[in-house]
Amino acid sequence: MISCPIQTGVARATIKTGTSGPTGGAGEKTDRNMHRKWARNASFVAMAVVLGAAATAQEQAFNLGDPHLNVVARTADEAARIAAVTALATDFTTPQNFEEKPAGAATVRARKTADAYSQPSGNITFEDELTFKVGNGLFRKLWVSTPASTLASDGLGPLYNARSCQRCHLKDGRGHPPEGPEDNAISMFLRISIPGTVDDAMAQISDYIATRPDPSYGTQLQDKAVLGHAAEYRLEVTYEEEVITLADGQAVSLRHPTYTAADLGYGPLHPEAMLSPRVAPQMIGLGLLEAVSAADILAGADPDDANGDGISGRPNIVWSQVHGQPMLGRFGLKAGNPTILEQSAAAFVGDIGISNPIFTAGSGECTNLQADCQAAQHGDGDDRVFEIDAEGLDLVTFYSRNLGVPARRNVGGAEVLRGKELFYQTGCTACHTPNFVTQRLKDRPEQSFQLIWPFTDMLLHDMGPALADHRPEARATGSEWRTPPLWGIGLTRQVSGHSYFLHDGRARSLLEAVLWHGGEAAGQRDAVIQLSTADRDALIAYLESL
């Protein structure tokens, strides 16, 4: 739980975890009645700008549509078929039809190597597979600083977190926190912002929580810089262990992280700075998530818990820089971006310091107070116009959209089927929605009209104080996170060489990740604690089969 005051100074700023564990009881649902306002922490208050009707009426009023998709309207017959095929399972003696293919026709064979996440969609054409490979080349490309003889590759920084997309998303998998003082933080960083004012409000989006960049450090801390410039900080992570005893007597140790922004390069952080640790997520199946109808996602929202099940998923609504309108947030750990294109563009400028047609600053994330960074020579202004042009950005987007999801393993095994039954019985499907059918699309055959099994509702949920970062993002409060997809999760160690989970990698196993659940998911967590050893093993076996 990142809840202690941020201690700022010239050299370092520290955010510590609290002493109460994830099963702390009181205060589990930190934002149950605070979806329309934001009040956090004795050290700072991030102001909520409330601009419109109450949330329940507002969710119904959102007519977001899918402006990023070229959709063929569903027929009444198709809608009925979709309702039938996406109904929750009730028979756990055999697998459901098509369950072994989590991405529909786009599913790829489950490989036994670290390349399991790096395959193109299973239904991609030969011509588009070539496009995918060119995009992969740009995804792996190492950028260099300006000036350079490689004009198509210059523009790095001046401040950055990594020199390529692949450096954070190694093998298209999950990043990890530093594993000790000798390890780097290349796939993890700290987001930063300060409370906003009425002037920062987003009038088109009700319940929008106004924030603004830290005056000295912007919206993301970069721990690397090109020659002649100072990096913004060095990330330090330490842990305190807490032992949780399960009903069968098994002891599980959970580690509470403390994050320190050490060696601050540009003076102290703002006194009200809000920091959020983020580990790079896996990349598979993004195009299919992008192709799910916004209406289907919004249909699962229940912000006031009208059905009384303790779950109150809410959509994050964000402003699209490309479409010039509010859109459903789908990507990022708090669903802060609406499309893969905008997520990719934001990563280029924030993580690598590469300007592009959406985020055009050649100085990347440099702030106005970082004068040398602003004045440095940048790589834009040549034939590309930007450091990565529209064609290059589209190629990376195409690659990211078409990373295939591996097929399930052992889907019909007796232990796996028992684990599936427990997954449903304990209520995990209330947030981890098993399946959707994507829109029928005119120009994206790989994603068009596929039955997919991502195990996410793509909505925000209050996960309680133990996982709260106390930093809002658009409509997401500091204790809300988007439900992460679970497909492919059982191949994490094979692909990434570790089994670290959650937004900051604190969980070292799937069981630890479950035990960190709080807030709306406290009941599900407690049910898992009470399971017998055999049933808990079956539940984990099911998750590892996804």
Side-chain angles (χ1 to χ4, degrees):
M1 178 176 68
I2 302 168
S3 61
C4 289
I6 297 173
Q7 303 165 357
T8 60
V10 174
R12 54 203 291 123
T14 300
I15 43 177
K16 288 189 175 183
T17 59
T19 55
S20 61
T23 56
E28 279 280 7
K29 297 176 182 176
T30 55
D31 282 324
R32 170 65 64 211
N33 298 310
M34 298 182 68
H35 290 327
R36 297 164 193 80
K37 41 174 93 168
W38 171 259
R40 272 288 173 274
N41 209 297
S43 354
F44 58 79
V45 174
M47 180 171 59
V49 181
V50 180
L51 302 165
T56 49
Q58 174 231 251
E59 314 294 8
Q60 298 169 1
F62 276 133
N63 183 23
L64 298 173
D66 297 302
H68 62 299
L69 300 176
N70 196 357
V71 175
V72 177
R74 288 176 181 168
T75 66
D77 177 64
E78 286 175 341
R81 286 163 51 203
I82 290 169
V85 78
T86 57
L88 287 177
T90 56
D91 178 6
F92 301 100
T93 60
T94 60
Q96 292 168 265
N97 290 337
F98 315 113
E99 190 177 1
E100 74 281 3
K101 293 186 175 181
T107 304
V108 299
R109 175 174 57 87
R111 287 157 173 80
K112 296 183 179 181
T113 69
D115 293 323
Y117 290 171
S118 300
Q119 308 306 311
S121 299
N123 55 352
I124 200 168
T125 65
F126 176 75
E127 292 79 6
D128 282 342
E129 185 173 351
L130 294 178
T131 304
F132 174 89
K133 290 178 178 177
V134 175
N136 184 23
L138 287 171
F139 192 84
R140 298 167 62 94
K141 176 180 182 177
L142 291 174
W143 295 84
V144 299
S145 59
T146 304
S149 58
T150 54
L151 295 181
S153 299
D154 70 332
L156 176 68
L159 303 175
Y160 63 98
N161 296 103
R163 290 181 57 198
S164 74
C165 306
Q166 182 78 197
R167 287 288 179 92
C168 290
H169 303 277
L170 187 61
K171 292 293 186 179
D172 305 295
R174 299 174 187 273
H176 62 85
E179 298 191 54
E182 303 304 317
D183 194 14
N184 62 49
I186 198 167
S187 57
M188 184 181 193
F189 60 76
L190 298 177
R191 290 218 183 276
I192 182 171
S193 57
I194 66 173
T197 68
V198 173
D199 292 338
D200 303 302
M202 185 68 69
Q204 299 90 339
I205 302 174
S206 59
D207 294 347
Y208 187 88
I209 303 170
T211 61
R212 60 172 52 187
D214 181 278
S216 297
Y217 291 92
T219 60
Q220 179 173 320
L221 291 176
Q222 284 88 14
D223 60 348
K224 296 177 177 61
V226 301
L227 186 65
H229 296 267
E232 290 185 319
Y233 83 124
R234 179 174 53 82
L235 177 62
E236 293 179 356
V237 187
T238 58
Y239 298 97
E240 295 180 11
E241 299 285 342
E242 176 191 13
V243 176
I244 304 293
T245 303
L246 309 183
D248 65 351
Q250 178 182 345
V252 180
S253 185
L254 304 183
R255 56 179 188 174
H256 290 261
T258 295
Y259 301 98
T260 299
D263 303 334
L264 291 171
Y266 297 89
L269 305 181
H270 189 279
E272 295 181 286
M274 300 174 284
L275 298 172
S276 178
R278 305 290 177 90
V279 161
Q282 66 186 35
M283 297 284 293
I284 57 174
L286 299 183
L288 294 161
L289 297 178
E290 187 176 52
V292 175
S293 166
D296 288 352
I297 297 170
L298 291 172
D302 184 17
D304 293 321
D305 192 19
N307 62 5
D309 67 351
I311 306 297
S312 54
R314 303 190 311 129
N316 203 356
I317 310 299
V318 300
W319 185 259
S320 169
Q321 301 290 334
V322 172
H323 298 282
Q325 67 178 70
M327 288 183 64
L328 176 69
R330 299 171 188 252
F331 302 107
L333 293 164
K334 286 181 181 276
N337 273 305
T339 64
I340 300 170
L341 174 64
E342 293 185 56
Q343 177 77 10
S344 300
F348 265 114
V349 76
D351 300 355
I352 314 177
I354 298 298
S355 65
N356 56 75
I358 300 175
F359 300 99
T360 60
S363 56
E365 249 264 305
C366 299
T367 68
N368 290 333
L369 295 181
Q370 295 169 335
D372 290 343
C373 186
Q374 289 283 352
Q377 186 175 354
H378 307 302
D380 53 0
D382 55 22
D383 290 344
R384 296 170 296 171
V385 182
F386 306 106
E387 290 162 342
I388 186 167
D389 59 16
E391 181 181 14
L393 183 59
D394 285 345
L395 285 165
V396 171
T397 300
F398 184 86
Y399 171 76
S400 302
R401 182 182 294 137
N402 281 288
L403 281 163
V405 180
R408 292 272 309 275
R409 286 83 52 211
N410 196 27
V411 65
E415 186 180 39
V416 167
L417 287 171
R418 174 57 180 160
K420 176 182 177 180
E421 183 177 16
L422 292 164
F423 187 83
Y424 281 64
Q425 285 181 351
T426 55
C428 299
T429 58
C431 299
H432 290 284
T433 302
N435 52 17
F436 288 95
V437 173
T438 62
Q439 296 272 44
R440 191 182 292 279
L441 303 174
K442 296 178 182 179
D443 53 359
R444 297 185 188 177
E446 300 87 0
Q447 289 82 42
S448 179
F449 211 57
Q450 301 296 327
L451 171 62
I452 64 171
W453 303 74
F455 293 90
T456 173
D457 58 7
M458 285 185 273
L459 297 172
L460 301 170
H461 294 275
D462 178 353
M463 295 301 292
L467 289 180
D469 68 351
H470 305 301
R471 178 184 177 273
E473 186 173 339
R475 299 178 78 233
T477 70
S479 60
E480 288 181 314
W481 301 94
R482 184 204 65 163
T483 305
L486 298 181
W487 51 12
I489 199 168
L491 298 176
T492 298
R493 179 174 291 280
Q494 174 183 309
V495 171
S496 301
H498 65 77
S499 56
Y500 298 147
F501 301 106
L502 301 177
H503 66 279
D504 57 359
R506 70 177 68 185
R508 294 161 293 192
S509 67
L510 290 171
L511 179 57
E512 284 188 34
V514 172
L515 295 177
W516 273 108
H517 283 48
E520 296 174 35
Q524 287 76 8
R525 175 203 63 207
D526 293 346
V528 172
I529 289 174
Q530 295 302 317
L531 291 176
S532 67
T533 302
D535 277 352
R536 191 168 57 252
D537 289 346
L539 177 62
I540 298 302
Y542 173 65
L543 294 175
E544 290 178 341
S545 80
L546 297 181

